[in-house]
Amino acid sequence: MNEDELRSEAKMVDLLNQFEHILESDPHIDEVGFVHPSQFFKLNEEAGHSLPSSDSTADENSVFWNEDHKLGISTQVLLPLYKASKDAFMTANRQFKELNSTSDVSGAENSLCTSLSLDDSIESAIMKHSRALLLLSCDFGTAWHSRKIVVLEKHKLSSLLDELLLSALVLSYSPKSEYAWSHRKWVIKSISEKCSTLPEIVTKESELVEKIAEKSKMNYRAWNHRCWLVSYMTREQLLHELKRSRNWANLHVADHSCFHYRSQLMLKILEDRCYEQEISSSGYSVEIYLLWKDELDWDEMLIKRYIGREALWLHRRFLSLFWIKHFLTDHTGLSGHGKQKTSMNNDFSVFMDNELHLLHSCSIIPDNSFDDYQAQAMHSATYMLWLIKQIPDSCRIELQEKLKTENLKALLNKVCPERSSTWDCLMGYVEASDH
């Protein structure tokens, strides 16, 4: 290796040492970003000092910026910094594996003692270098895996909580990182086995997802993680999340992920309620009935307020399907004859009258140049076609008397003539089921 290469390698190691020193000195960093070199002066100016701070050198401020627990890294040093952190991590990881292989050869009777006495300096090196590496390359799976091994060796709750901090820091610059979200799931599963403060952690986790979802639109991985959290929530948390997520959904009516999250919350509330009262065979409680009705009314209000939003109609399908399959039969404890059958028919009539009224109000197109009104008409018509297929056969005749399918076909061909073949196929499918 010539002198220039040695000098370049020394500079990369120095950059890595600076980077890791900043991470160690400010453990509360909650956001990482990559900044063009020309923006550092502006960042310092906005922070209230145009000159480097007293505890930082001029060279550090040219490639790193750390203020108010925010960390900026110059894009100019990303490649050399990545190479240095990768080399340092791979070296530490190789030493760690060699130490483990030595313990395996020593014999089964001594393997436990050997594993418990692993060199702390190697473990510390793995954790330190893997943290730097993951903040530069979040999809480096070997680094995530190595951290899991070390954390499992430590058997400490504090180590697991540190992993939540690191993965949150990774998500601050890569909010859709599959590895980071998967790592958080592993951490929470591990915490649930040994921690009594899980509800508090789950609450903070849900808040983190909402914060990330606000910055990263249509983030499927974030919302999928939040849905996964539902299984760990208490009844109080479920009700709180249902109330809280409604405020978010009111402002993001085009994001179906939030409505899917609400459906998971409602199903978990229902599941817990059925388990507690053992009512699965005797009908649902009034509380669940009112919960579903309130959600249907709220969804209808949003549909009428925000024209042409498909997510609202998809959520209504979930609500209506459950309503038809359960409340129109189970809620009243119906057996299908006498007064009970009359009650079912009355409930069904009220429900379908409301849905038909919604269809008619959404089928009006006051302005052909406004695409949202046409989308609203199409969503309402396709929703009604779908609904016809879900209702019991005994009630379908009554609906056919109130709704003529040819009117739906004419409406669909009017608002979306280019898909006429699709509408013909759907209408044929519906008509065939009536015979």
Side-chain angles (χ1 to χ4, degrees), residues 418-431:
E418 64 273 12
R419 297 175 64 181
S420 58
S421 59
T422 301
W423 309 140
D424 290 340
C425 181
L426 287 175
M427 296 303 300
Y429 183 60
V430 171
E431 291 170 356

Side-chain angles (χ1 to χ4, degrees), residues 37 57 81 111 120 122 131 199 230 238 305 316 338 349 372 422:
T57 65
L81 193 57
S111 61
D120 288 341
I122 297 180
R131 175 175 59 179
V230 170
L238 291 169
R305 178 178 296 178
R316 194 164 194 83
S349 297
D372 283 349
T422 301

Side-chain angles (χ1 to χ4, degrees), residues 116-130:
L116 292 175
S117 59
L118 287 174
D119 190 347
D120 288 341
S121 63
I122 297 180
E123 290 184 349
S124 298
I126 284 182
M127 300 302 278
K128 179 173 67 174
H129 299 320
S130 63

Side-chain angles (χ1 to χ4, degrees), residues 269-285 288 322 325-327 329-334:
I269 292 173
L270 174 66
E271 177 186 335
D272 291 348
R273 191 66 174 175
C274 289
Y275 178 79
E276 292 172 2
Q277 298 187 356
E278 298 182 352
I279 60 172
S280 58
S281 62
S282 60
Y284 293 100
S285 67
I288 299 299
F322 190 92
K325 287 188 174 182
H326 299 281
F327 294 132
T329 55
D330 296 341
H331 174 66
T332 52
L334 303 175

